[in-house]
Amino acid sequence: MAVINEAQLKEQISKKNFSNAYILFGEESYLKDFYTNQLKNKLVDSAFADFNYHEHDGASANMDDIAMDSSMLPMMSEYSMVLVNDYPFENSSDVKKLEEILKELNGSSILVFRYEKINIDVKKSKTYSKVVNLFSKYGTAAELKKRTETDLINLVLKGAKKRNCSIDKRNAQYFISVVGSDIQTMLNELEKICSYIGEGEITKDTIDEVAVKSLQARIYDLSKFIIAKNGEAAYGLLNALFSQKADEIVILSVLSSCYIDMYRAKCAVQANISDSNVSSTFGYRGREFVIRNAKRDSSRISINALRNALSILAEADEKLKSTAVSQAVILEETVAKLLIIR
């Protein structure tokens, strides 16, 4: 069986059509946690959880212990569950042992490997490609990607309604651009806003007043100030980031991403390529608003200026990582150069 997506996994769990084994990986941490808990709630009777639920930390676990727990029959229940978090497959013997375990699963003990800290890229890692293929062969391999912007907007609309509030699509879109597209962060900020207003409509002013801007959104504001040739606001925000102990390398990385977004958008406009094509090609899933905003902002700057800006940012990146000069000074100098070419 091929690697399945979130919709297929959701259907499988809701219909209780369980596989012997699961591997849950992908970009979205919230979804991996959510479906792990869904499996646990469906499989494990809380009254007998001490007997039928076994959890292993991959950093300290070994395959023999996992094999032992996976071979145990459930007590007073239909299923038992063995959860393994971030097991690092560092040698071929572990992969062979995994295959032996998967072949011998008894059908009553469900084995779940969940990956949070370890990023699985089946295209780059032969080892994890084999691991995922084994789960596909003997159970289920589910890649939980970030949801699309439309999915996230619907999640915000439903989440607000559930909390006795309302929000229109435009403000839901703005809310995502402010707090970011991480689902857990979105839900936390939505809960805070709804608790603040009690009930009623969530407006743009409410979002600005209550929601905490993600670091990416704040650095995006920095790029907007530079494009608008507002040096005072740009340096004011940069100093605020410094005072809040934001990492200089992270600031430069996100600022560079803003300019890369604008360059892509500018090239796409000149080549008559659609926003959706750019989003799918360059991985803006769940952040489609980024390319729209970049398209708007890049209309105010020439393609040559963007190329010069990228050169400046690349030079700053090299300086940050290779010289003893104050990183704050390097960033201040970089902002000055970007304002000059603007």
Side-chain angles (χ1 to χ4, degrees):
M1 183 178 179
V3 175
I4 67 172
N5 58 29
E6 182 193 352
Q8 293 167 307
L9 178 63
K10 181 178 180 180
E11 181 180 14
Q12 189 184 108
I13 294 174
S14 65
K15 292 183 176 180
K16 298 185 178 181
N17 183 25
F18 303 118
S19 294
N20 285 338
Y22 292 87
I23 183 169
L24 306 179
F25 66 102
E27 304 166 305
E28 188 54 74
S29 295
Y30 172 83
L31 294 178
K32 287 179 283 189
D33 288 342
F34 178 80
Y35 286 107
T36 298
N37 289 329
Q38 285 284 297
L39 284 167
K40 183 179 179 181
N41 292 338
K42 296 280 187 178
L43 295 169
V44 181
D45 185 334
S46 59
F48 300 99
D50 289 343
F51 302 102
N52 297 326
Y53 179 72
H54 313 278
E55 185 168 352
H56 295 270
D57 179 359
S60 57
N62 63 68
M63 293 304 265
D64 289 334
D65 291 338
I66 296 170
M68 182 180 296
D69 285 343
S70 299
S71 65
M72 295 174 63
L73 293 173
M75 181 175 290
M76 304 294 288
S77 297
E78 186 176 0
Y79 296 106
S80 66
M81 175 176 166
V82 180
L83 174 63
V84 184
N85 294 302
D86 289 300
Y87 189 90
F89 285 92
E90 296 174 344
N91 54 66
S92 58
S93 62
D94 275 352
V95 179
K96 290 179 181 177
K97 184 64 176 178
L98 173 66
E99 184 168 18
E100 292 173 9
I101 293 172
L102 293 174
K103 282 182 178 179
E104 295 173 5
L105 286 173
N106 56 47
S108 297
S109 182
I110 310 300
L111 178 62
V112 180
F113 274 59
R114 175 177 62 182
Y115 282 87
E116 292 283 355
K117 298 175 183 176
I118 297 175
N119 178 40
I120 293 182
D121 189 334
V122 295
K123 294 181 180 179
K124 294 182 179 179
S125 171
K126 291 183 179 179
T127 299
Y128 282 104
S129 177
K130 290 178 182 178
V131 169
V132 170
N133 286 336
L134 286 174
F135 276 94
S136 293
K137 180 178 180 180
Y138 296 105
T140 294
E143 183 175 10
L144 298 171
K145 298 180 179 179
K146 287 190 176 295
R147 290 180 172 176
T148 66
E149 186 181 31
T150 300
D151 292 334
L152 295 178
I153 289 172
N154 289 333
L155 182 66
V156 173
L157 295 177
K158 291 177 182 177
K161 184 177 181 181
K162 182 179 178 181
R163 294 165 175 81
N164 298 317
C165 296
S166 64
I167 185 170
D168 62 32
K169 288 185 178 181
R170 185 171 182 177
N171 282 328
Q173 188 179 68
Y174 176 70
F175 170 75
I176 295 167
S177 73
V178 168
V179 304
S181 57
D182 177 79
I183 294 177
Q184 189 62 64
T185 301
M186 284 172 46
L187 294 176
N188 289 343
E189 290 299 314
L190 187 61
E191 181 71 35
K192 184 171 67 176
I193 290 174
C194 290
S195 296
Y196 175 75
I197 67 174
E199 59 181 21
E201 184 178 3
I202 299 172
T203 65
K204 183 177 182 294
D205 289 340
T206 308
I207 295 168
D208 289 335
E209 184 177 358
V210 181
V212 175
K213 273 195 172 185
S214 68
L215 179 61
Q216 186 159 355
R218 288 152 68 207
I219 299 173
Y220 169 69
D221 286 344
L222 174 60
S223 72
K224 286 202 300 183
F225 291 142
I226 294 171
I227 295 299
K229 298 182 284 188
N230 189 339
E232 183 178 354
Y235 278 107
L237 178 51
L238 185 62
N239 288 328
L241 292 169
F242 289 157
S243 67
Q244 293 161 7
K245 307 298 183 184
D247 185 272
E248 287 86 353
I249 292 177
V250 172
I251 294 173
L252 182 66
S253 175
V254 178
L255 183 59
S256 299
S257 294
C258 292
Y259 275 84
I260 290 169
D261 295 336
M262 286 190 285
Y263 184 71
R264 287 171 176 165
K266 192 78 170 180
C267 291
V269 169
Q270 293 187 352
N272 198 29
I273 297 173
S274 68
D275 293 354
S276 59
N277 195 326
V278 177
S279 294
S280 61
T281 301
F282 293 104
Y284 290 96
R285 184 183 178 88
R287 303 183 306 119
E288 289 86 349
F289 63 87
V290 170
I291 204 64
R292 290 197 302 272
N293 291 342
K295 185 177 179 180
R296 178 197 64 211
D297 295 338
S298 65
S299 66
R300 305 167 68 184
I301 186 169
S302 71
I303 193 77
N304 287 332
L306 284 170
R307 288 173 181 150
N308 290 337
L310 292 174
S311 296
I312 290 168
L313 291 161
E315 180 184 353
D317 180 67
E318 185 176 352
K319 284 183 179 179
L320 278 181
K321 297 172 181 176
S322 62
T323 69
V325 178
S326 164
Q327 293 187 328
V329 170
I330 293 172
L331 276 176
E332 289 172 348
E333 181 185 64
T334 300
V335 169
K337 290 180 179 178
L338 294 173
L339 284 164
I340 289 169
I341 65 167
R342 177 66 188 96

